[in-house]
Amino acid sequence: MENMKLLAEWSYEPTKAHRGYTGKTLKINVGERTFEAKDVTEDMKEKFVGGRGFGLKLLWDAVKDTTKWNDPENEIVISGGPLCGITQYPGTGKFYAVFISPLTEQTYDSNAGGHFGPLLKFAGWDALEIQGKSDKDVVVVIDGDEGKVKIFESPFEDINAYSITETLHEYFSDPNDINDRKHVSVITAGKGAEHTYWGCLNSSFWDSHRKIARLKQAGRGGGGTVFRDKKIAALVVKTHNLSGTANDPADIDTLTKVGLKLHKEIFTLDSKQCRMRTVGTPHLNEIMNEYHILPVHNYKFGQHPDADKIHSEVYGKLFTQGIADGCWYGCTLACAKAVDNYTIKTGPCKGQVVTVDGPEYETAAGLGSNVGVFDPEWTIETNFYADHYGLDTISLGTGIAFVCECYELGYITKEHTNGLELKFGNKDDILELIHRMAEGKDEFAKIVGLGIHRMKDIFAEKFGAPRDILEKIGMEGQGIEVSEYVPKESIAQWGGYFLTLKGPQHDEAWLIFMDRVNKQLPTFEDKAEALHYFPNFRTWFSLVGLCKLPWNDIEPADNATKYPPQEAAKVPEHVQNYVDIFNAVTGKNITKEELILQSERVYNFQRVFQLRLGKGTRKYHNIPDRALGPVFPDEWEARAEYYDNELKEAGVNPEELSTEEKIKKLNEIRRQQWEELVDAVYKRRGWDRNGIPTVETLKRLGIDYPDVVAVVEKHAKPEDRW
Amino acid sequence: MEWEVGLTVKDIITRKKYTFPLLAVWINDSPVPRDDFNSTKVPDGAKVQIIHMISGG
């Protein structure tokens, strides 16, 4: 590669991490080409901890109430957190990206593995703010070895992820030592991110076994779209400050001891439990199908007779086995599976032999069963292009599933799609649509790339599709597509998806088993308690820089017998591990209750932030009919006995009703249940009837900063108090 | 579910089509270790709880 043209440069003195923090954050304005270092205050550490918490705090200070996703002051804030980069415990390489989302027009946080988060910290920074909009494509480089930040003019004509990532690893490392590429990590997006609202951020790591750069994704929310709107082709970090003690932990002995305990558990039990080391998250494929949770044909159904074709054993044979597939050092859960030596069959990379990261469960279901395709090779190819183009595979899968259903209902035709027959299972045309979305020229592909929320408007207003049906079957909330689990049989999971801070993804609560299968949450108060505890517990991972999977995709041998069932679901021994490693790194002395409190502060702060941006009230906690139950007769008939029983339990005799009448009746019942759930959850969270945290809640949490209280007081109404 | 002589925990799990690996089983409020599912007989009239743990990211 030719030398890149330097546009701006700034020097700094890299600060080594101490007790998990460097104490410094970096702000880069790519439009003005300015740089700024800020100190991390003790209050910031106390109240916001790190990661997503730091991201939200820095973004809060950077934007106005009226800021839109494509305004220059919108930022992408990237931060790992105090535990990010430790190597003694599995799943410790995550960063969290925070930004105002093009899809939801409010704050979003999305996470990725790979090496970027740890290397950013070890290059001297607890967080990175990227603000402004460049007038030309740039490559931004943070060099922790030289203590320099540089902005180069991008030399790349093709900015898609696989076209530039490896080149940049090579360019910024020792040309005589291929292993030196591990000291570099690159974030990219791609043309798909540029031309749609579904842009993801690809975060690279050097795979020293395969000798290639691989990609993990902060997939959700459109962070890649913001990245490309700022005309950033790539963000590079480089440092040789890389060791198992680079965080300078307070108590390395405890950290090592707790880590070893979990490593032993994984080596002993994973093969009998989730098999993460051999098949990764696709271990869920057949399980979701058995329990009617696998999304099929835009969530119409939860099962399909061809599901055995996407069985985890099929994927297990396609994944290369015997290689340590951790995406950060020390992760023995090693679920970053990959397909090697795959020959691309379509599109601009046709004929190339590549390694494809994944697919993970969400991709296997979204770009599989949900669009009616049960062909793993097609899903692998589509996964490759989604990453290459910088597209979120979840929104892509759910969004195209919606398009396919609209096509089959006759709401859109080949005239609208410019010749594509977008029926479920028509894999060639679906993949062609994805290529067109990345290319950014086809008008229909551009509409699809705006997401379901906007597609509903356009299909109704321009194509004459019936608005009421689109609202029922469009699986989105707050502007973003639902992730890949059928929620219609679990009241608690309605909340797990649709009573969330940023829309229906599965990072807050997954309660289908607890609620529907185990029947452990019989009352609305029980469900509300789960929808308080689990979102807050899971938020904590995003504050400290951890992956959630080692929490409950492996459990101690005696977890199920040592604790009563309700408690066992929390995996208490692993919760204690997290308390112990937090204290061992930071030197603090928190309890498991304070761990929840740390999360609750940030959770409520983010809720107020959404309010500040004009969202964050009850009307944005909406749920489509299909998430509540069947919309069409064939959905009902596929599970007739189950749904008839639901009516009987509600005191309705189904034998007196037609299928259409049954659907209408059940929907009425479930709408009522939904409203009861919303009330119960808001009460438990300390919010008013309109979903706004009360000033008392802010005070209890210690986040009653004047500007935060002012937002609440501006919007809260006396009649909404309980 | 109908009880029969020799009914084991594993038999119940199979009949219920519970394929999820992280199950917790309690018979008359006493936990049964996963390694003993095959060999543990279920007495007639027993209270059996089968709980699915949570997994997934």
Side-chain angles (χ1 to χ4, degrees):
Chain A
M1 191 177 81
E2 63 186 84
N3 283 339
M4 293 194 288
K5 181 182 172 187
L6 185 66
L7 301 175
E9 182 178 272
W10 178 76
S11 298
Y12 71 97
E13 186 65 39
T15 309
K16 293 270 173 78
H18 175 63
R19 308 296 185 251
Y21 294 95
T22 67
K24 300 279 183 188
T25 68
L26 170 64
K27 181 171 181 173
I28 302 172
N29 189 309
V30 292
E32 297 168 8
R33 296 187 186 132
T34 57
F35 310 87
E36 180 187 358
K38 299 179 187 175
D39 291 327
V40 174
T41 65
E42 281 306 310
D43 184 68
M44 197 164 153
K45 286 198 268 186
E46 182 69 23
K47 300 289 172 58
F48 297 94
V49 184
R52 169 186 177 182
F54 277 15
L56 287 163
K57 170 68 173 114
L58 292 166
L59 188 66
W60 175 281
D61 293 339
V63 299
K64 298 179 285 215
D65 300 0
T66 54
T67 298
K68 303 298 179 198
W69 74 272
N70 53 357
D71 285 334
E73 69 267 22
N74 187 21
E75 296 188 336
I76 300 172
V77 191
I78 294 171
S79 175
L83 304 191
C84 177
I86 62 172
T87 58
Q88 292 77 13
Y89 200 84
T92 53
K94 289 274 190 176
F95 73 74
Y96 287 75
V98 176
F99 48 86
I100 296 175
S101 160
L103 288 163
T104 66
E105 300 174 323
Q106 59 185 357
T107 69
Y108 207 92
D109 56 274
S110 189
N111 72 83
H115 290 186
F116 193 91
L119 294 192
L120 176 68
K121 190 201 287 187
F122 301 146
W125 306 108
D126 284 334
L128 166 65
E129 293 172 79
I130 306 174
Q131 198 178 49
K133 292 171 76 158
S134 176
D135 58 350
K136 59 182 79 169
D137 272 1
V138 293
V139 174
V140 180
V141 181
I142 300 163
D143 188 331
D145 295 332
E146 285 189 2
K148 288 190 186 299
V149 184
K150 298 175 184 175
I151 300 177
F152 294 99
E153 185 173 333
S154 168
F156 303 110
E157 281 185 26
D158 174 2
I159 52 88
N160 287 315
Y162 282 110
S163 302
I164 62 175
T165 303
E166 189 129 349
T167 304
L168 289 167
H169 270 266
E170 185 180 354
Y171 186 84
F172 287 103
S173 59
D174 182 346
N176 299 313
D177 180 7
I178 193 169
N179 292 319
D180 192 46
R181 296 179 194 177
K182 70 183 178 187
H183 297 108
V184 175
S185 180
V186 181
I187 291 180
T188 54
K191 284 290 179 186
E194 189 174 316
H195 295 135
T196 74
Y197 285 1
W198 288 338
C200 74
L201 297 168
N202 286 297
S203 162
S204 78
F205 69 102
W206 181 252
D207 184 328
S208 57
H209 303 287
R210 293 177 172 87
K211 309 287 184 199
I212 56 169
R214 293 180 54 193
L215 304 177
K216 301 298 288 180
Q217 290 74 34
R220 308 236 61 202
T225 303
V226 180
F227 192 82
R228 287 302 300 140
D229 184 63
K230 295 183 178 302
K231 288 198 179 293
I232 303 169
L235 174 59
V236 181
V237 65
K238 174 187 178 185
T239 181
H240 282 73
N241 176 29
L242 195 59
S243 77
T245 55
N247 268 301
D248 190 21
D251 180 358
I252 187 69
D253 291 341
T254 297
L255 194 54
T256 306
K257 189 174 136 198
V258 176
L260 278 175
K261 187 175 64 164
L262 187 59
H263 292 316
K264 280 181 190 167
E265 250 176 68
I266 290 169
F267 286 128
T268 311
L269 300 170
D270 177 63
S271 61
K272 291 189 266 185
Q273 294 185 5
C274 294
R275 298 174 294 128
M276 298 292 278
R277 288 168 56 81
T278 49
V279 298
T281 54
H283 80 89
L284 291 167
N285 294 3
E286 60 271 19
I287 295 168
M288 294 299 104
N289 187 60
E290 289 286 353
Y291 289 82
H292 298 268
I293 301 169
L294 183 74
V296 174
H297 294 184
N298 194 29
Y299 303 84
K300 278 184 91 171
F301 312 110
Q303 266 186 349
H304 195 279
D306 287 340
D308 59 335
K309 294 177 181 169
I310 61 169
H311 196 286
S312 63
E313 286 184 8
V314 177
Y315 274 105
K317 286 176 185 161
L318 292 165
F319 294 144
T320 303
Q321 300 293 339
I323 295 180
D325 275 322
C327 68
W328 174 243
Y329 304 108
C331 189
T332 43
L333 204 57
C335 71
K337 311 314 296 178
V339 179
D340 290 304
N341 303 312
Y342 179 80
T343 304
I344 299 291
K345 299 180 180 70
T346 68
C349 300
K350 185 176 178 179
Q352 289 182 24
V353 179
V354 300
T355 291
V356 184
D357 278 275
E360 299 207 38
Y361 164 73
E362 300 285 340
T363 307
L367 293 167
S369 57
N370 212 4
V371 295
V373 178
F374 296 87
D375 175 352
E377 292 239 349
W378 181 87
T379 299
I380 288 163
E381 172 128 350
T382 310
N383 194 160
F384 170 84
Y385 272 118
D387 297 347
H388 187 51
Y389 294 148
L391 289 166
D392 167 26
T393 57
I394 296 175
S395 277
L396 198 58
T398 299
I400 292 176
F402 172 74
V403 171
C404 289
E405 187 167 10
C406 288
Y407 191 95
E408 296 211 344
L409 287 165
Y411 302 158
I412 51 175
T413 67
K414 278 187 180 178
E415 284 186 23
H416 301 113
T417 66
N418 295 321
L420 297 179
E421 188 173 44
L422 294 171
K423 289 181 175 174
F424 288 116
N426 197 355
K427 54 192 179 184
D428 292 343
D429 284 13
I430 291 172
L431 186 49
E432 174 58 24
L433 173 66
I434 295 169
H435 290 312
R436 291 183 188 183
M437 288 168 70
E439 201 175 31
K441 293 177 184 165
D442 180 86
E443 287 305 314
F444 182 75
K446 283 188 201 171
I447 292 169
V448 174
L450 298 174
I452 292 174
H453 188 74
R454 291 165 182 82
M455 272 194 270
K456 288 189 295 189
D457 290 339
I458 296 167
F459 287 7
E461 290 162 16
K462 288 194 174 172
F463 303 163
R467 161 73 73 173
D468 61 331
I469 302 293
L470 299 179
E471 293 295 345
K472 287 173 193 260
I473 64 173
M475 290 294 278
E476 61 93 8
Q478 302 183 53
I480 192 164
E481 289 70 24
V482 176
S483 72
E484 307 305 328
Y485 302 95
V486 173
K488 57 184 149 188
E489 296 181 8
S490 163
I491 293 174
Q493 190 56 29
W494 301 345
Y497 266 151
F498 294 94
L499 293 178
T500 45
L501 287 173
K502 54 185 187 283
Q505 63 167 23
H506 52 286
D507 79 336
E508 286 203 14
W510 198 95
L511 300 171
I512 299 175
F513 283 164
M514 276 189 97
D515 187 38
R516 175 166 72 82
V517 182
N518 301 339
K519 303 195 185 311
Q520 290 172 290
L521 308 171
T523 69
F524 285 104
E525 287 68 31
D526 294 328
K527 297 179 205 304
E529 184 59 35
L531 287 165
H532 164 74
Y533 177 81
F534 286 104
N536 278 310
F537 180 69
R538 294 166 75 121
T539 291
W540 191 77
F541 293 89
S542 70
L543 308 184
V544 296
L546 297 185
C547 171
K548 285 188 287 290
L549 299 179
W551 161 48
N552 63 359
D553 274 271
I554 183 78
E555 62 171 41
D558 60 355
N559 184 61
T561 54
K562 190 174 178 182
Y563 306 97
Q566 203 86 341
E567 199 61 19
K570 298 177 181 173
V571 198
E573 194 172 311
H574 287 182
V575 175
Q576 189 59 46
N577 285 354
Y578 291 121
V579 170
D580 291 342
I581 64 171
F582 181 84
N583 291 336
V585 172
T586 63
K588 297 186 183 217
N589 188 27
I590 68 162
T591 63
K592 64 180 181 180
E593 289 78 18
E594 286 167 310
L595 180 155
I596 296 295
L597 183 62
Q598 288 180 325
S599 290
E600 211 182 345
R601 286 191 188 109
V602 175
Y603 194 92
N604 279 272
F605 180 80
Q606 190 167 6
R607 183 69 180 165
V608 177
F609 204 158
Q610 314 297 49
L611 187 65
R612 182 185 165 204
L613 296 175
K615 310 281 182 178
T617 55
R618 188 168 184 139
K619 74 174 178 180
Y620 296 101
H621 275 157
N622 51 358
I623 185 168
D625 279 359
R626 175 151 295 154
L628 293 169
V631 171
F632 295 124
D634 56 342
E635 286 172 80
W636 187 286
E637 299 303 341
R639 289 275 277 162
E641 188 180 346
Y642 176 86
Y643 292 122
D644 281 353
N645 276 336
E646 289 278 296
L647 284 179
K648 285 177 193 166
E649 284 179 16
V652 177
N653 182 2
E655 290 166 15
E656 297 172 352
L657 303 173
S658 68
T659 304
E660 285 80 1
E661 289 168 332
K662 288 186 211 175
I663 291 170
K664 186 165 181 281
K665 193 71 201 170
L666 185 64
N667 181 263
E668 287 169 8
I669 293 164
R670 290 190 162 183
R671 280 280 162 202
Q672 174 71 29
Q673 290 171 323
W674 164 252
E675 295 301 329
E676 288 183 55
L677 179 72
V678 176
D679 281 347
V681 169
Y682 283 1
K683 274 186 195 168
R684 178 62 188 89
R685 289 181 180 170
W687 299 354
D688 70 13
R689 286 179 204 280
N690 198 24
I692 298 175
T694 63
V695 173
E696 292 77 13
T697 298
L698 302 182
K699 284 181 179 169
R700 176 176 64 80
L701 298 172
I703 54 169
D704 52 330
Y705 300 103
D707 50 349
V708 177
V709 171
V711 171
V712 166
E713 288 182 336
K714 180 179 169 187
H715 293 90
K717 296 173 187 159
E719 62 267 30
D720 289 331
R721 295 189 72 84
W722 296 104
Chain B
M1 177 178 285
E2 287 284 311
W3 180 82
E4 60 187 46
V5 175
L7 184 73
T8 65
V9 169
K10 177 69 179 171
D11 292 336
I12 296 177
I13 289 170
T14 303
R15 285 187 207 175
K16 299 286 278 184
K17 296 185 179 174
Y18 288 163
T19 53
F20 187 59
L22 301 179
L23 295 175
V25 176
W26 296 61
I27 297 178
N28 293 328
D29 298 325
S30 293
V32 181
R34 275 189 201 129
D35 287 345
D36 296 346
F37 285 177
N38 280 324
S39 59
T40 301
K41 302 275 195 302
V42 180
D44 190 12
K47 174 184 158 194
V48 179
Q49 284 177 279
I50 302 179
I51 300 297
H52 292 61
M53 298 290 113
I54 308 169
S55 79

